[in-house]
C-alpha cells in the first residue's frame, strides 16, 4: 500500500527525511515489530543514510545512460544455457519439512488471517 | 432510462505443461500427490537457493505469443521480483515479469454467434511462477508447496468483452487453442487455466471506463460466466439505485452462486517491483521468433473456415471436426486417403469415430485406427463390398487388431452376398419356416417385406446385400 | 611440529600429503589443537560479548564431518587415487553458506536453528577437491557490516593482531581464523568488500573474483547483483589454488558465467615485467559524510597506508611493471551512495523469506493472526542491521521513490563500470589501498551505520563494476596492524591479478600477537 498522498509530496518537496508516519508505514510493510528504543535508533540511522545517498540526486546523468543489472555484461558466449526440461525428484522434501516449525500431515501450518466480513 | 453495456477485461493465468517446474527440476504434476512432496530447496525458498530457468517455458510462452499475433516480442525481456508477504509464497516475492514482458500487443478474433467476431486485444503476455496452495482448517491455514514454481503465462486482455457470454466463449476458444498448441492441458478444474475478470458498466454510447471490480479465483467456464453475469447485474442495480461502484476485489462462491468482497488485508499491496538479479534477461532473437512462427500449426479458427470452404462441409461439421487438433488431422488425412465426398467422411468421423474416441478416452491420433484404414472401410461400403453395418463393426475390429480391413473381410468372410442362387435358397428356407407370415403377406400385409429382409440378414450374418435379398423375396412371395 | 602445520601454506600441505610426509588426519588434529589453544570458545546466541580473550572465529565446528573427510583423503592417498587439489587442507566456511546437516545461521538469531538440507556449490566443490570443512566462521549478521560486531553470536571475532581491534567484516571470522592458523583457507563472500577488507585488517590475502566466476548457489543472499564468493588465504598462491577448485559455471546459478577456468597457478611466479599498473587520485581523495552535520568532507588516507601504496607501486616498478599515474575514475566517489540504494533494495527483498513459517526462528506464544506471526518472528529474530537494511530498501524501492533512488543508482553503476572500462584501455590493473584505515577499535564505529558503510569506500567500486580484485598484505602500520593493498583488473583476469599479487605480497614471518600469546612465537 502506498503511503498517503500528502506524505509523498511533502518528502519530495523538502529534503528527504523519514517522518514518524512514513517510518510507521515502512515498519508495517517490512512486517517488523519494534520496541520504542529500537525504532528510534533505526529511524535516526535511516535519516543519516538518506543524507548520505542524497549525493546521488545531484549527479548529472545522460538521459540515455542505461541501467546496469550486473557490473559484468553477459554475451552469448558467456551466458549459461537454460535448463533442459527434465523432471527429477528431489530427495530433500522430508528434510525441508523437518525445518518447519509447525507441520500437520505434511502441510505447513500458519495461523489464519482475520476475516473482514462482507457488507 | 439509459441502456447499460458491460465492459469486461480478463487476466488469465495459463499453466504451461512442462515436465519440470520453471526454476527447479521438481515435477509439475502434483494431481493427487500428498502435500509437500514435489518440493526441493529451490521451490520452497530455502536460504541461498537460486532459480534456473526452464528452456521449455520460454519456448512454450513464445508459441503462445506468436499464436496470439503479438507483434512485439521483446528481444530481451526481464524477470522482476514482485514482493509481498504471503504464506503460499515461500520466497516472499514472486518471480514474474513487469516492465519488459515477453510480448505485448497481440490480438484474438473471437467468433460470435451472429457470424461476426469480436476483436480482443492482448495487452501483454508474461512468464511467472505459480504460488502454493492453501487449505483452510478451523482457524488455521495449511500450506502445500507442490504447486510452487509451476510455470505460468499471464495473459492480459483489453476491456473488450461486452457480455458474460463472450467471456465464456473466449475461454472455450483459449482452452481449445492451448491444447491445440500442446502448451497447456488447460483444465480449469485443476487450475491449469485460471481467470480474473475486471467488470465495469457504462451507458451505451459512452467511451469512458468507469470504476471496475475484480473477480478472482473462479474455477470453471460456467462459473466465470455466472460470476460475471451476476456482477454486471449487481452493478446495474447499484447504479440504478443511485449507488456508486467501488473498486472491490470479489470472490465467487460457486457453491452458493454468490459474489463476496475479499478481505481487505489480502488485497492491499506495494509490490516494489525490481529486476530479478538472479536471472539474466530472456533473449529472444528475431530468428528464434521467425522459427516459432514458421513451425506454428494452422490454428483452429483458420482450419475451421478452411474445412468448410475447401471440403464443402457444413459449418457445424467444421466446428466439431476442429474442436481438437488430432481429430482434425485425422479427418483431413482420411479425406485425402478416401478421395471421394468429404461430407461422407465427416459423417463417419463425427458419428462413429468420435464415439470410439470417447469410449477409449483417447485422441484420434492414438486411437489405433488409421485414417487410411477408415478410408478403406468407407470405400468398401460405398462399393457395396460390405454392408454399412459391417463397416461400423469393422472400425472396432481394425482398431484392436493388426489386420487391415481387407484382411478381416477376407479372412472372416464378411463380404456381402448378392449371388442370386445362394440368396434364393436361403429365402426359400425362410418362407418355409414362417407360413403364418407368408399367409399374412399374401393377404395384403406387404409391409412384412421388411421383416422378411431382416430374417435374411440375420440368417446370413449381415452379409446379404439387402437390395438383392428384397428383390428375391418379393419375387418368391408374389410368384 | 603440530603447531607449525597450522602455519603451512595450503599448497604445501597438499604437496606433503602426496609425498607421504603428512596425512590429512594429522593436519586435522593439528588444526583442532590450534583451535583449542587460541579460539577461547566460539560465538553463541546469548554468549558473553567479552569472551575469553581468544580469537572466537567460529560459530560451529564440524569435527565429525572433517574427520570423515580426512579419512577419505588418507584412504585415497593409500589407494594411489588422486585425492584432489585441496587434499587435506582445512577450510573455514563463512556461515553464510549452506552446508548440509550443519547449522547455517548467517550470524542471525532468525536462522540460529536452521540446519540446511543442502550444500552450497562452492562448498561442494571444495569438499570434492579434498578440503576438510573445519567449521562455520562467524560474520556480521547476514554479512551486514564491516567489523563483524553485528553478529548475534557472541563473542564476536577478534583481530589476531590486536584483541582490542575488529577483524573487519563481514567475513571477520574467516579472516581471523586464517590469520590465526585455525584454518589454512576460508571461503568468504564479498558484496562491497567483505572479503578484501577483513583480509587487509588481518594481514591475509582475500580475493573477490569476477561476478559470476564462482557460483552463488547456497550462499545466503545479501545483494544478489553484487555478491561474490571468494578465497581467503595466507598467501596468493593458496588463494589461486582455492579459486581453481571453486570457479566455473554451475547449473544451479544462472549468473555463473560460461567462461573457461584458467590455470591460476601455472604462471603465478611469472612476475610483472611489462605489465601496466594504474594509480588513481580518485582512490586517495576520500569523501566522508561528517558524523555530526552529514556534510561531505574530504579526508586523506591514513599516512602509513599512503606510504604503503607508494612502496607497493615502487616494488612493482622495480620488478619491471610500468606504473601509470593519474588514471581518472571520477564516478567511484559515488560508490557508497549507489551501494546504499542497490544493496538495500535487494537485501530487503532477499530477507522477505524469513517469516517464521518455513524454517528458522518463530516467535514464541500464540500469534493472534498470520501478520502478527510475521511481525513478531521478524522483529525478534532480526538484529538491528538487517532491520535497517530492510527499512531502507522498502523506502527507496517504494513506487514513488524507485526512479529517484534505485533506478538512478543503477545508472550510477553504469558510470562506475564505464570508468573502469576506460581505465583498462590504458592499464592491466589498478592498484589502490584496500581500506582507508587499518583495523579500528572494537566499539569504535559500530552503531553508526553510515560510518561503518564508508569503511567499504575503496572496495565497493569493484563490486559495482563486477570486476575481480585481490587484497594483498603489504606490511604493518606503526601500531602493528596489517595494511592491505588491492589490485583490480578487467573481467575474468584472475590469473593475471594473482600473478601480480604474488609479486606484491609481503608475507609476515611471525605469528600474530594473539597466537603468540597462546602457542608461542
Ligand atoms: Zn523444486
Amino acid at each position: 500500500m502506498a503511503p498517503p498522498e500528502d506524505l509523498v509530496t511533502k518528502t519530495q518537496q523538502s529534503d528527504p527525511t523519514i517522518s514518524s508516519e512514513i517510518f510507521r508505514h515502512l515498519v508495517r510493510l517490512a512486517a517488523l515489530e519494534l520496541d520504542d528504543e529500537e525504532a528510534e535508533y533505526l529511524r535516526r540511522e535511516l535519516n543519516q543514510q538518506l543524507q548520505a545517498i542524497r549525493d546521488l540526486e545531484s549527479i548529472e546523468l545522460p538521459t540515455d545512460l542505461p541501467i546496469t543489472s550486473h557490473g559484468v555484461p553477459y554475451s552469448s558466449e558467456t551466458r549459461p544455457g537454460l535448463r533442459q526440461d527434465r523432471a527429477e525428484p528431489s530427495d530433500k522434501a522430508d528434510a525441508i519439512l523437518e525445518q518447519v516449525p509447525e507441520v500437520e500431515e505434511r502441510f505447513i501450518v500458519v495461523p489464519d488471517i482475520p476475516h473482514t466480513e462482507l457488507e | 432510462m439509459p441502456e447499460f453495456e458491460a465492459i469486461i477485461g480478463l487476466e488469465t493465468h495459463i499453466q504451461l505443461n512442462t515436465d519440470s517446474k520453471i526454476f527447479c527440476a521438481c515435477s509439475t504434476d502434483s494431481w493427487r500427490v500428498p502435500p509437500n512432496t514435489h518440493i526441493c530447496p529451490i521451490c520452497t525458498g530455502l536460504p541461498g537457493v537460486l532459480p534456473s530457468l526452464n528452456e521449455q517455458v520460454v519456448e512454450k510462452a513464445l508459441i503462445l505469443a506468436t499464436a496470439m499475433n503479438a507483434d512485439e516480442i521483446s528481444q530481451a525481456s526481464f524477470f522482476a521480483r514482485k514482493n509481498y508477504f504471503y504464506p503460499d509464497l515461500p520466497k516472499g516475492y514472486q518471480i514474474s515479469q513487469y516492465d519488459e514482458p515477453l510480448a505485448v500487443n497481440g490480438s484474438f478474433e473471437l467468433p460470435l454467434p451472429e457470424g461476426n467476431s469480436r476483436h480482443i486485444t492482448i495487452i501483454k503476455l508474461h512468464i511467472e511462477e505459480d504460488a502454493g496452495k492453501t487449505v483452510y482448517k478451523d482457524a488455521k491455514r495449511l500450506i502445500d508447496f507442490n504447486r510452487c514454481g509451476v510455470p505460468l503465462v499471464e495473459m492480459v486482455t483489453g476491456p473488450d468483452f461486452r457480455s458474460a457470454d463472450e467471456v465464456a466463449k473466449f475461454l472455450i476458444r483459449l482452452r481449445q487453442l492451448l491444447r491445440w498448441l500442446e502448451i497447456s492441458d488447460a483444465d480449469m478444474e485443476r487450475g491449469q487455466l485460471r481467470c480474473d475478470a475486471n467488470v465495469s458498466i457504462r451507458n451505451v454510447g459512452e467511451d469512458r471506463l468507469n470504476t471496475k471490480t475484480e473477480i478472482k479465483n473462479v474455477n470453471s467456464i460456467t462459473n466465470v460466466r455466472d460470476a460475471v453475469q451476476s456482477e454486471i447485474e449487481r452493478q446495474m442495480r447499484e447504479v440504478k439505485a443511485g449507488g456508486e461502484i467501488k473498486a472491490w476485489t470479489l470472490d465467487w462462491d460457486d457453491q452458493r452462486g454468490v459474489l463476496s468482497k475479499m478481505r481487505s488485508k489480502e488485497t492491499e499491496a506495494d509490490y516494489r517491483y525490481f529486476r530479478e538479479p538472479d536471472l539474466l534477461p530472456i533473449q529472444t532473437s528475431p530468428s528464434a521468433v521467425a522459427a516459432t512462427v514458421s513451425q506454428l500449426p494452422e490454428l483452429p479458427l483458420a482450419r475451421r473456415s478452411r474445412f468448410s470452404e475447401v471440403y464443402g462441409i457444413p459449418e457445424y461439421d467444421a466446428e466439431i471436426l476442429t474442436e481438437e487438433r488430432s481429430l482434425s488431422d485425422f479427418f483431413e488425412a482420411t479425406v485425402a486417403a478416401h478421395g471421394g465426398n468429404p461430407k461422407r467422411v465427416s459423417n463417419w468421423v463425427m458419428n462413429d469415430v468420435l464415439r470410439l474416441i470417447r469410449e477409449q478416452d483417447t485422441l484420434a491420433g492414438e486411437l489405433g485406427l488409421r485414417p487410411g484404414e477408415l478410408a478403406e472401410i468407407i470405400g468398401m461400403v460405398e462399393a457395396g463390398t460390405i454392408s454399412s453395418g459391417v463397416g461400423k463393426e469393422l472400425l472396432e475390429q481394425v482398431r484392436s487388431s493388426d489386420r487391415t480391413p481387407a484382411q478381416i473381410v477376407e479372412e472372416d468372410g464378411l463380404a456381402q452376398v448378392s449371388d442370386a442362387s445362394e440368396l434364393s435358397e436361403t429365402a426359400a428356407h425362410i418362407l418355409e419356416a414362417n407360413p403364418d407370415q407368408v399367409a399374412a403377406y399374401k393377404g395384403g400385409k406387404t409391409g412384412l417385406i421388411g421383416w422378411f429382409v431382416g430374417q435374411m440378414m440375420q440368417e446370413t450374418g449381415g452379409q446379404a446385400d439387402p437390395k438383392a435379398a428384397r428383390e428375391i423375396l418379393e419375387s418368391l412371395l408374389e410368384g | 611440529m603440530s603447531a607449525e602445520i597450522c602455519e603451512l601454506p595450503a599448497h604445501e600441505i597438499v604437496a606433503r600429503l602426496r609425498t607421504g610426509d603428512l596425512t590429512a588426519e594429522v593436519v586435522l588434529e593439528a588444526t583442532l589443537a590450534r583451535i583449542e589453544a587460541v579460539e577461547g570458545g566460539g560465538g553463541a546466541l546469548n554468549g558473553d560479548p567479552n569472551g575469553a580473550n581468544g580469537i572466537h572465529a567460529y560459530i560451529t565446528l564440524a569435527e565429525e564431518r572433517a574427520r570423515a573427510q580426512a579419512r577419505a583423503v588418507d584412504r585415497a592417498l593409500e589407494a594411489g587415487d588422486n585425492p584432489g587439489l585441496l587434499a587435506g587442507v582445512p577450510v573455514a566456511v563463512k556461515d553464510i553458506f549452506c552446508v548440509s546437516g550443519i547449522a547455517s545461521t548467517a550470524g542471525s538469531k532468525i536462522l540460529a536453528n536452521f540446519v540446511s538440507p543442502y550444500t552450497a556449490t562452492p562448498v561442494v566443490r571444495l569438499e570434492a577437491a579434498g578440503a576438510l570443512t573445519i567449521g562455520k566462521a562467524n560474520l556480521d549478521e547476514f554479512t551486514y557490516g564491516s567489523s563483524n560486531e553485528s553478529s548475534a553470536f557472541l563473542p564476536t571475532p577478534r583481530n589476531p593482531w590486536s584483541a582490542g581491534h575488529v577483524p573487519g567484516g563481514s567475513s571477520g571470522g574467516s579472516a581471523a581464523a586464517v590469520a590465526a592458523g585455525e584454518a589454512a583457507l576460508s571461503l568468504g563472500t564479498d558484496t562491497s568488500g567483505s572479503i578484501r577488507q577483513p583480509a587487509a585488517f588481518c594481514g591475509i590475502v582475500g580475493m573477490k573474483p569476477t561476478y559470476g566466476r564462482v557460483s552463488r548457489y547456497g550462499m545466503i543472499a545479501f545483494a544478489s547483483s553484487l555478491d561474490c564468493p571468494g578465497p581467503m588465504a595466507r598467501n596468493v598462491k593458496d588463494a589461486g589454488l582455492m579459486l581453481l577448485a571453486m570457479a566455473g559455471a554451475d547449473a544451479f546459478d544462472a549468473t555463473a558465467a560460461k567462461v573457461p577456468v584458467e590455470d591460476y597457478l601455472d604462471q603465478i611466479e611469472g612476475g610483472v615485467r611489462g605489465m601496466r599498473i594504474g594509480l588513481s587520485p580518485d582512490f586517495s581523495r576520500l569523501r566522508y559524510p561528517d558524523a555530526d552535520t552529514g556534510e561531505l568532507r574530504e579526508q586523506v588516507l591514513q599516512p602509513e597506508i599512503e606510504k604503503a601504496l607508494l612502496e607497493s607501486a615502487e616494488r612493482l616498478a622495480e620488478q619491471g611493471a610500468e606504473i601509470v599515474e593519474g588514471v581518472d575514475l571520477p564516478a567511484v566517489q559515488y560508490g557508497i551512495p549507489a551501494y546504499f540504494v542497490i544493496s538495500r533494495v535487494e537485501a530487503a527483498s532477499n530477507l522477505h523469506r524469513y517469516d517464521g513459517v518455513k524454517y528458522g526462528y518463530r516467535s514464541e506464544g500464540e500469534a493472534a493472526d498470520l501478520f502478527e506471526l510475521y511481525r513478531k518472528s521478524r522483529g525478534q529474530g532480526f538484529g538491528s542491521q538487517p532491520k535497517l537494511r530492510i527499512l531502507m530498501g522498502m523506502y527507496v524501492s517504494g513506487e514513488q521513490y524507485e526512479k529517484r533512488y534505485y533506478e538512478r543508482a543503477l545508472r550510477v553503476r553504469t558510470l562506475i563500470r564505464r570508468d573502469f572500462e576506460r581505465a583498462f584501455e590504458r592499464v592491466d590493473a589498478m592498484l589502490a589501498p584496500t581500506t582507508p584505515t587499518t583495523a579500528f577499535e572494537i566499539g569504535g564505529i559500530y552503531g553508526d551505520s553510515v560510518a561503518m558503510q564508508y569503511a567499504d569506500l575503496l572496495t565497493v567500486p569493484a563490486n559495482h563494476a563486477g570486476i575481480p580484485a585481490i587484497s594483498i598484505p603489504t606490511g604493518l602500520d606503526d601500531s602493528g596492524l596489517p595494511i592491505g593493498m588491492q589490485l583490480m583488473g578487467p573481467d575474468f583476469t584472475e590469473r593475471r591479478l594473482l600473478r601480480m599479487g604474488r609479486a606484491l605480497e609481503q608475507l609476515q614471518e611471525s605469528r600474530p600477537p594473539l597466537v603468540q600469546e597462546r602457542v608461542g612465537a
Side-chain angles (χ1 to χ4, degrees):
Chain A
M1 206 183 85
E5 197 63 32
D6 55 332
L7 293 181
V8 178
T9 38
K10 200 161 44 185
T11 55
Q12 277 173 353
Q13 278 159 3
S14 62
D15 277 348
T17 49
I18 294 174
S19 66
S20 55
E21 237 167 313
I22 294 182
F23 183 76
R24 271 199 304 277
H25 169 70
L26 291 174
V27 169
R28 200 165 57 79
L29 263 184
L32 293 170
E33 189 177 79
L34 303 175
D35 63 37
D36 292 347
E37 194 187 336
E38 193 176 22
E40 196 39 49
Y41 165 74
L42 293 171
R43 188 157 85 85
R44 194 179 63 237
E45 290 298 314
L46 279 182
N47 278 319
Q48 281 195 17
Q49 294 188 6
L50 267 185
Q51 287 210 328
I53 63 178
R54 196 170 48 181
D55 228 16
L56 274 184
E57 296 188 72
S58 58
I59 307 172
E60 278 193 37
L61 297 175
T63 45
D64 59 346
L65 188 72
I67 66 166
T68 297
S69 297
H70 299 98
V72 180
Y74 288 82
S75 68
S76 53
E77 283 79 44
T78 63
R79 52 183 294 139
L82 301 185
R83 183 172 53 82
Q84 300 292 308
D85 180 27
R86 206 171 45 238
E88 278 169 45
S90 160
D91 58 0
K92 308 222 184 306
D94 291 350
I96 291 167
L97 286 182
E98 271 170 36
Q99 295 299 312
V100 177
E102 194 181 347
V103 177
E104 194 175 304
E105 289 165 350
R106 293 192 72 85
F107 282 107
I108 294 165
V109 183
V110 296
D112 204 354
I113 297 172
H115 296 229
T116 316
E117 274 309 323
L118 316 166
E119 292 158 25
Chain B
M1 203 68 188
E3 241 190 288
F4 291 114
E5 72 174 347
I7 309 293
I8 308 148
L10 296 183
E11 198 177 292
T12 56
H13 286 96
I14 297 152
Q15 253 186 33
L16 299 177
N17 60 356
T18 54
D19 289 338
S20 65
K21 294 183 179 181
I22 182 168
F23 299 127
C24 66
C26 290
S27 167
T28 51
D29 181 11
S30 291
W31 186 248
R32 295 198 172 127
V33 161
N36 293 308
T37 46
H38 287 180
I39 59 171
C40 74
I42 297 170
C43 56
T44 52
L46 255 51
V49 297
L50 298 170
S52 91
L53 179 60
N54 182 340
E55 184 184 47
Q56 277 299 303
V57 171
V58 178
E59 181 68 32
K60 292 187 174 191
L62 198 56
I63 290 173
L64 183 57
T66 52
M68 286 293 171
N69 308 305
D71 52 43
E72 287 174 42
I73 292 174
S74 299
Q75 286 194 41
S77 72
F78 292 82
F79 284 103
R81 290 189 187 175
K82 180 180 182 180
N83 298 282
Y84 62 97
F85 287 104
Y86 216 63
D88 63 7
L89 191 68
K91 298 188 295 297
Y93 56 83
Q94 181 192 30
I95 302 180
S96 179
Q97 296 191 290
Y98 182 54
D99 53 351
E100 301 268 4
L102 183 75
V104 294
N105 258 344
S107 64
F108 187 86
E109 295 302 324
L110 176 68
L112 296 180
E114 301 80 47
N116 54 345
S117 68
R118 174 81 68 207
H119 181 81
I120 307 298
T121 50
I122 306 296
I123 294 175
K124 71 164 188 171
L125 201 141
H126 77 231
I127 297 172
E128 63 185 27
E129 60 179 334
D130 208 345
K133 273 187 184 152
T134 308
V135 176
Y136 299 87
K137 190 184 166 195
D138 308 326
K140 287 175 181 168
R141 291 183 169 218
L142 305 178
I143 314 290
D144 174 10
F145 286 151
N146 280 343
R147 203 180 64 188
C148 278
V150 166
L152 298 179
V153 167
E154 182 182 303
M155 196 171 84
V156 181
T157 77
D160 299 329
F161 300 95
R162 292 295 171 266
S163 71
D165 212 43
E166 286 179 16
V167 168
K169 286 202 161 59
F170 174 77
L171 289 172
I172 291 168
R173 290 289 174 198
L174 177 61
R175 183 177 64 187
Q176 173 194 30
L177 180 72
L178 294 169
R179 291 173 179 173
W180 189 276
L181 295 169
E182 294 170 345
I183 58 175
S184 172
D185 298 340
D187 185 336
M188 280 191 95
E189 255 107 79
R190 291 192 189 185
Q192 292 159 340
L193 174 60
R194 307 197 281 271
C195 137
D196 301 338
N198 292 313
V199 181
S200 64
I201 57 168
R202 67 183 175 200
N203 294 329
V204 170
E206 286 181 349
D207 50 10
R208 69 191 176 114
L209 293 173
N210 292 319
T211 306
K212 66 190 185 216
T213 57
E214 185 179 8
I215 306 172
K216 281 189 170 298
N217 307 330
V218 202
N219 64 1
S220 78
I221 292 174
T222 320
N223 285 337
V224 175
R225 188 191 353 234
D226 293 350
V228 170
Q229 186 58 35
S230 120
E231 175 58 7
I232 293 169
E233 288 166 11
R234 184 193 70 85
Q235 289 193 13
M236 289 181 180
R237 279 197 306 276
E238 191 74 41
V239 172
K240 279 180 190 155
E244 196 189 331
I245 303 301
K246 297 201 186 72
W248 287 343
T249 303
L250 303 168
D251 223 349
W252 176 252
D253 181 337
D254 58 350
Q255 305 285 306
R256 296 185 298 146
V258 291
L259 286 164
S260 55
K261 209 174 113 191
M262 269 172 85
R263 303 155 189 173
S264 67
K265 275 209 164 177
E266 299 191 35
T267 56
E268 68 180 50
D270 176 353
Y271 296 127
R272 303 184 327 282
Y273 282 99
F274 71 97
R275 290 236 174 121
E276 168 57 276
D278 290 334
L279 289 164
L280 302 184
I282 301 173
Q283 306 279 354
T284 320
S285 66
S287 63
V289 175
T292 308
V293 170
S294 71
Q295 283 161 28
L296 209 59
E298 182 182 27
L299 299 184
L301 289 175
R303 185 166 284 192
R304 187 183 69 151
S305 13
R306 184 170 60 81
F307 275 12
S308 38
E309 274 167 36
V310 174
Y311 299 127
I313 55 173
E315 265 191 34
Y316 174 78
D317 289 32
E319 177 71 39
I320 289 181
L321 290 171
T322 55
E323 240 164 44
E324 189 271 307
R325 184 167 154 194
S326 180
L327 182 70
S328 73
D329 289 343
F330 184 91
F331 165 74
E332 196 150 31
T334 309
V335 169
H338 175 251
N341 182 358
K343 174 60 184 157
R344 192 156 308 182
V345 174
S346 166
N347 288 346
W348 277 83
V349 172
M350 287 179 36
N351 298 322
D352 307 292
V353 177
L354 262 183
R355 182 177 44 77
L356 270 185
I357 288 171
R358 284 193 196 110
E359 278 169 15
Q360 299 298 320
D361 190 22
T362 185
L363 291 171
E366 286 151 24
L367 190 58
L369 174 72
R370 285 186 284 270
E373 294 167 337
L374 174 60
E376 190 181 336
I377 293 169
I378 299 174
M380 286 193 284
V381 171
E382 284 173 341
T385 316
I386 55 172
S387 67
S388 70
V390 168
K392 283 170 208 244
E393 278 164 29
L394 263 182
L395 294 178
E396 171 57 25
Q397 292 182 40
V398 172
R399 191 193 73 76
S400 55
S401 82
D402 294 333
R403 296 187 294 170
T404 66
Q407 276 172 339
I408 298 175
V409 168
E410 166 77 25
E411 291 164 19
D412 297 2
L414 298 178
Q416 290 198 117
V417 179
S418 46
D419 177 70
S421 66
E422 202 177 316
L423 288 176
S424 299
E425 206 174 309
T426 313
H429 280 300
I430 289 169
L431 299 191
E432 213 175 288
N434 298 287
D436 293 352
Q437 280 76 5
V438 173
Y441 182 92
K442 292 196 165 163
K445 291 184 104 173
T446 52
L448 276 171
I449 187 67
W451 183 84
F452 282 110
V453 173
Q455 293 300 302
M456 283 285 283
M457 299 308 288
Q458 206 171 15
E459 201 70 11
T460 59
Q463 283 165 277
D465 177 346
K467 218 171 108 200
R470 186 189 174 103
E471 277 165 17
I472 286 167
L473 280 165
E474 275 172 352
S475 73
L476 284 177
L477 284 163
E478 270 149 41
Chain C
M1 172 65 194
S2 96
E4 280 151 26
I5 290 174
C6 298
E7 269 75 39
L8 281 181
H11 62 268
E12 189 81 31
I13 292 173
V14 180
R16 291 207 195 172
L17 246 68
R18 286 176 189 263
T19 60
D21 193 23
L22 268 182
T23 66
E25 277 198 90
V26 168
V27 175
L28 175 61
E29 293 313 322
T31 305
L32 294 174
R34 168 64 61 91
I35 291 170
E36 181 64 35
V38 305
E39 180 74 346
L45 271 190
N46 309 315
D48 174 9
N50 298 314
N53 204 25
I55 304 289
H56 314 302
Y58 287 98
I59 289 176
T60 307
L61 288 178
E63 289 166 65
E64 286 314 303
R65 188 184 191 94
R67 284 210 168 89
Q69 289 165 338
R71 280 194 297 272
V73 166
D74 288 335
R75 270 198 308 273
L77 282 163
E78 270 169 43
D81 298 336
N82 181 357
L85 270 183
L86 294 173
V89 176
V91 176
V93 174
K94 184 180 184 180
D95 203 7
I96 200 71
F97 290 93
C98 288
V99 177
S100 173
I102 303 184
S104 298
T105 72
S108 179
K109 181 180 174 186
I110 210 160
L111 280 179
N113 63 357
F114 173 64
V115 178
S116 175
Y118 79 104
T119 301
T121 298
V123 179
V124 168
R125 292 186 179 173
L126 293 172
E127 293 189 336
L132 317 179
T133 303
I134 299 295
K136 306 293 286 293
N138 209 334
L139 69 159
D140 278 297
E141 185 176 1
F142 280 99
T143 79
Y144 303 157
S146 307
S147 69
N148 214 137
E149 291 160 283
S150 65
S151 175
F153 290 77
L154 304 177
T156 59
R158 303 296 191 254
N159 191 317
W161 294 86
S162 164
H165 288 77
V166 301
S170 63
S171 312
S174 291
V178 171
E182 296 182 89
L185 301 172
S186 183
L187 173 61
T189 65
D190 193 314
T191 307
S192 64
S194 282
I195 285 176
R196 289 163 287 156
Q197 186 254 22
F201 278 11
C202 293
I204 65 166
V205 175
M207 185 174 215
K208 177 204 107 64
T210 312
Y211 184 84
R213 178 70 296 180
V214 177
S215 168
R216 293 181 293 122
Y217 187 73
M219 167 193 171
I220 297 174
F222 169 8
S224 312
S225 71
L226 299 161
D227 293 340
C228 290
M232 303 176 80
R234 284 191 296 271
N235 63 75
V236 171
K237 194 170 170 187
D238 283 0
L241 187 67
M242 186 175 179
L243 181 61
L244 189 58
M246 300 190 291
D250 175 20
F252 289 100
D253 180 356
T255 62
K258 216 177 58 185
V259 174
V261 176
E262 295 177 303
D263 187 335
Y264 299 124
L265 302 178
D266 64 348
Q267 298 181 355
I268 201 158
E269 304 292 349
V272 291
R273 182 156 305 278
M275 291 184 182
R276 290 162 306 164
I277 294 169
L279 295 173
S280 173
D282 297 301
F283 276 103
S284 300
R285 278 200 295 267
L286 311 175
R287 296 166 81 230
Y288 282 91
D290 186 275
D292 298 322
T293 65
E295 294 303 314
L296 287 170
R297 57 187 173 82
E298 292 213 354
Q299 189 179 312
V300 291
L301 285 170
Q302 183 179 324
E304 297 112 303
I305 289 181
E306 179 90 56
K307 189 164 148 254
L309 174 64
L310 298 176
E311 283 169 3
S312 296
E314 249 166 61
R315 188 154 53 245
L316 292 166
E318 279 163 16
Q319 297 178 61
E322 181 193 337
I323 303 298
V324 181
E325 289 187 65
V327 178
D328 285 332
L329 296 156
V332 302
Q333 63 177 312
Y334 305 120
I336 293 292
Y339 179 77
F340 258 125
V341 175
I342 296 170
S343 68
R344 270 50 173 182
V345 170
E346 294 180 7
S349 173
N350 285 329
L351 291 180
H352 253 261
R353 69 187 65 191
Y354 307 104
D355 58 7
V357 169
K358 303 161 298 264
Y359 40 74
Y361 179 78
R362 179 179 215 166
S363 72
E364 277 137 40
E366 276 296 297
D369 63 61
L370 179 66
F371 294 104
E372 190 181 308
L373 177 80
Y374 287 164
R375 284 193 303 272
K376 282 190 185 306
S377 300
R378 289 163 63 84
Q380 295 160 14
F382 285 130
S384 300
Q385 295 311 310
K387 285 174 184 158
L388 252 181
R389 276 157 180 80
I390 293 168
L391 293 169
M392 181 53 93
M394 295 273 166
Y395 182 77
V396 294
S397 64
E399 217 177 323
Q400 56 284 105
Y401 306 116
E402 191 266 347
K403 285 233 179 324
R404 182 181 181 184
Y405 292 119
Y406 184 59
E407 214 192 284
R408 225 178 148 70
L410 292 178
R411 290 185 206 284
V412 169
R413 175 148 85 184
T414 309
L415 288 183
I416 296 173
R417 168 78 191 177
R418 288 184 177 178
D419 275 2
F420 278 104
E421 285 174 356
R422 262 193 306 274
F424 292 138
E425 288 168 11
R426 295 175 60 194
V427 299
D428 297 316
M430 293 296 302
L431 174 69
T434 307
T435 56
T437 66
T438 50
F440 36 86
E441 283 177 16
I442 291 172
I445 296 184
Y446 186 61
D448 181 341
S449 63
V450 174
M452 188 63 83
Q453 190 67 80
Y454 273 86
D456 296 338
L457 186 63
L458 301 176
T459 42
V460 76
N463 297 82
H464 282 305
I467 58 174
I470 185 168
S471 178
I472 306 290
T474 58
L476 304 177
D477 73 1
D478 294 347
S479 45
L481 290 167
I483 295 172
M485 289 294 138
Q486 58 174 337
L487 288 156
M488 292 160 270
D491 301 344
F492 302 106
T493 57
E494 284 84 357
R495 182 157 77 159
R496 195 168 63 198
L497 281 183
L498 285 157
R499 180 170 158 180
M500 291 177 181
R502 176 74 191 92
L504 180 60
E505 70 182 333
Q506 297 280 297
L507 299 180
Q508 289 298 318
E509 296 299 322
S510 58
R511 289 175 172 147
L514 260 67
V515 180
Q516 287 189 35
E517 272 172 31
R518 299 202 171 218
V519 299

